Amino acid sequence: MDISLKNVEYRYQVNTPFERLAIQDVSIDIPSGTFLALIGHTGSGKSTVLQHLNALLKPTAGEVVIGERTITSEKKQKDLKAVRQKVAIVFQFPEHQLFEETVEKDICFGPMNFGVNEEEAKRRAHEAIKQVGLDESILQKSPFDLSGGQMRRVAIAGVLAMQPNVIVLDEPTAGLDPRGRKEIMDMFYQLHKERNLSTILVTHSMEDASRYADKIAIMHKGQVYKVGTPLEIFSDPEQLIEMGLDVPEVVKFQQKLEKTFGHKFAKTCLTIEEISQEMPRFLKRGEA
Amino acid sequence: MKNSLVQIRNLSFKYDEHADYALKDVTFDIYEGEWLAIVGHNGSGKSTMAKLLNGLNFPKEGSITVDNLLLSEETVWDIRDKIGMVFQNPDNQFVGTTVQDDVAFGLENHGIEREEMIKRVHDALESVKMEEFLDQEPHHLSGGQKQRVAIAGVLALRPNIIVLDEATSMLDPRGREEVLETIRQLKASQEMTVISITHDLEEAAKADRMIVMNKGQLYREGSPEDIFQLDEELISLGLDIPFPVKMSKMLKALNIPVSKHHLSEEELVEELWTSHSKM
């Protein structure tokens, strides 16, 4: 399902003394199957953009096209359920939203809320729990007897059980240890490929953005500052650093080497393997 | 010789609803003026340790002694004066309606006189560089700023130890750096002892000493240099190794001579430069 934001503007609390412009002139295309990373610091407008992706917010100007639906400020929107079933958001710390007596009931809640019958919902729960790497035996447990990492996976299974085409992840690895972070991100990447999803990842981790995303959009002061492939984005690290954003460790390291040696690598390297390959040639030039 | 400030002896703790021990027979010391990083996988017992340290929970077995005071229900309030805590979520620890009210909150609870209180609030906010925000409301602040106010609230009570329980994990990179820089300066200027419970291994690499927790037990303690030699072992514990160490290993594998597994990029760049320039 294609999503496209066209010159989107959003103002909070319009026509009150508290009116505040959160984003303006935001245009981003997210064709079906894209893995997009959305980056920017706190207050840059990322969360506001995110809430437009499944019509939790309606733009105050411009339009948001989600599949067949077009959402503008004028039109009264009816039946947004279909949109929200197709575009699922995994919010930060999703495990805080678990509430049912058993894991199975919790996972079934979403699909049943969208009109799926109990039998089908249970079938999906069994499928989803396996997809997030947990054993089916966990379905009959109380979600509150699980570890933090397991709870997060259960919450994610609840989202998958709605069978969305687009999945929006808001800092999905916050608070996890390094292994947990890698496992969760690898899992999302695999689902992205297997189910041919569109994935939109909101993150502070430049490492994750560079490793998983096809495209990166950088938000700055409520506007889209730049959209490009990881290579395009990180080829100009100075600019990002000036904006107070991070760059991947590899890019930082390459930059420091180039500064010290006074000459450049043949290309911008995004992985430790790439930079290692380029290293002998780079060092040789230092001796010449 | 380093002075031991906190003695943790054979500490065990179990949450009532769980079968397994969250902490099992943990013994170590915390030394005056050091920056100690405690790392470990989720559920390894790090946060339980923090809660025991200032008496939010009490151990089932073993003891904690802080500055010659044995932690018990009787001494817990005295010990909380010595140990200040900063938690993970900046939004959950703001109690005042303005920045200065928030910092004053702890002082009011301690019955500090008004004159003294005003002075301490100012001093504390100055040391975290938030003195210009006295009358701001919390929702106008960034996550990093909120955490700095939380730190000021702790500082105003003049503790000798500050515990950061994943205090930077919900912040963006800029906020994280702000908070860490604040702590570094405080430690240098006020002889503060810092205990940082963290998943951020780049941060841990800059600590004076590290403790690795695994499944409720103390797995290893040592300097960051020692700990990161554990290499693949750390990965098997659910942790990771910092980028400069990975890079050093990679280069060695390529037969590019590197004297050791560097913990900082600067050091590694420096060594490469020294050995490859004909200056």
Side-chain angles (χ1 to χ4, degrees), chain A residues 41-42 93 175-179 204 243-244 249-250 253 256 260-261 272-273 275-276 279 283 286-287, chain B residues 41-42 170 172 174 199 235-236 238 240 243 246-247 250-251 254 265-266 268-269 272-273 276 278:
Chain A
H41 19 85
T42 319
F93 297 95
L176 297 181
D177 60 33
R179 180 196 289 159
H204 291 311
M243 290 163 62
E249 289 289 341
V250 185
F253 183 60
K256 278 187 190 139
T260 305
F261 281 74
I272 197 163
E273 288 78 15
I275 199 165
S276 301
M279 195 69 85
L283 293 175
E287 291 168 5
Chain B
H41 58 87
N42 288 113
M170 289 177 74
D172 63 19
R174 181 187 280 177
H199 283 314
I235 294 170
S236 72
D240 202 354
F243 175 82
K246 275 188 210 159
M247 194 71 240
M250 257 331 207
L251 292 173
L254 284 168
E265 286 176 13
E266 286 78 9
L268 179 55
V269 170
L272 289 172
W273 170 243
H276 287 89
K278 288 247 170 93

Side-chain angles (χ1 to χ4, degrees), chain B:
Chain B
M1 190 54 207
K2 293 180 295 183
N3 234 340
S4 172
L5 187 59
V6 181
Q7 297 88 40
I8 291 160
R9 295 289 176 265
N10 308 105
L11 200 63
S12 294
F13 183 81
K14 195 167 97 54
Y15 291 98
D16 288 335
E17 64 272 27
H18 286 113
D20 298 330
Y21 275 86
L23 279 180
K24 187 79 187 145
D25 199 21
V26 174
T27 295
F28 67 95
D29 286 65
I30 298 166
Y31 299 101
E32 207 169 351
E34 76 172 336
W35 183 312
L36 174 69
I38 303 182
V39 301
H41 58 87
N42 288 113
S44 63
K46 303 182 307 277
S47 290
T48 303
M49 176 66 75
K51 285 181 197 145
L52 292 174
L53 264 177
N54 80 341
L56 289 172
N57 282 320
F58 289 95
K60 300 283 180 225
E61 292 150 47
S63 68
I64 298 175
T65 312
V66 180
D67 205 7
N68 298 318
L69 212 55
L70 181 70
L71 177 66
S72 68
E73 308 220 6
E74 286 76 50
T75 59
V76 64
W77 290 103
D78 294 320
I79 284 181
R80 283 185 194 159
D81 285 347
K82 297 172 190 292
I83 300 186
M85 306 266 297
V86 182
F87 295 98
Q88 185 178 39
N89 191 335
D91 293 317
N92 289 351
Q93 42 193 331
F94 231 100
V95 288
T97 49
T98 66
V99 166
Q100 61 175 340
D101 284 357
D102 193 72
V103 176
F105 180 78
L107 296 171
E108 280 174 341
N109 282 344
H110 278 73
I112 308 278
E113 268 181 54
R114 189 178 159 78
E115 294 275 295
E116 170 72 6
M117 195 153 83
I118 291 171
K119 186 179 172 311
R120 285 212 203 174
V121 168
H122 276 261
D123 288 353
L125 284 170
E126 201 174 63
S127 52
V128 300
K129 300 205 171 69
M130 288 294 289
E131 68 272 26
E132 283 162 32
F133 294 80
L134 280 180
D135 295 314
Q136 289 267 5
E137 294 166 32
H139 63 266
H140 287 137
L141 305 179
S142 72
Q145 289 171 332
K146 282 182 197 163
Q147 288 299 61
R148 275 148 67 198
V149 173
I151 293 169
V154 164
L155 288 179
L157 295 167
R158 313 233 164 115
N160 12 23
I161 303 169
I162 186 162
V163 179
L164 308 171
D165 188 2
E166 298 193 36
T168 61
S169 67
M170 289 177 74
L171 305 180
D172 63 19
R174 181 187 280 177
R176 186 176 312 147
E177 198 35 54
E178 267 172 28
V179 168
L180 290 175
E181 189 49 38
T182 301
I183 297 285
R184 267 177 224 129
Q185 282 173 7
L186 287 173
K187 183 175 171 280
S189 62
Q190 312 197 2
E191 301 207 347
M192 188 83 81
T193 303
V194 179
I195 302 165
S196 174
I197 294 171
T198 183
H199 283 314
D200 182 348
L201 296 172
E202 315 289 334
E203 180 206 321
K206 292 181 185 146
D208 299 318
R209 215 158 56 89
M210 282 176 73
I211 281 180
V212 182
M213 299 291 298
N214 184 43
K215 295 181 184 156
Q217 295 187 302
L218 190 150
Y219 184 81
R220 201 60 69 87
E221 69 179 296
S223 68
E225 203 135 317
D226 294 338
I227 297 293
F228 289 118
Q229 300 304 328
L230 293 173
D231 228 23
E232 299 295 321
E233 216 173 318
L234 286 176
I235 294 170
S236 72
L237 295 175
L239 301 174
D240 202 354
I241 43 181
F243 175 82
V245 176
K246 275 188 210 159
M247 194 71 240
S248 305
K249 279 178 60 182
M250 257 331 207
L251 292 173
K252 272 189 179 172
L254 284 168
N255 288 323
I256 296 172
V258 176
S259 61
K260 61 171 186 175
H261 290 172
H262 289 284
L263 287 186
S264 86
E265 286 176 13
E266 286 78 9
E267 269 179 33
L268 179 55
V269 170
E270 183 63 35
E271 186 181 350
L272 289 172
W273 170 243
T274 316
S275 56
H276 287 89
S277 70
K278 288 247 170 93
M279 304 289 259

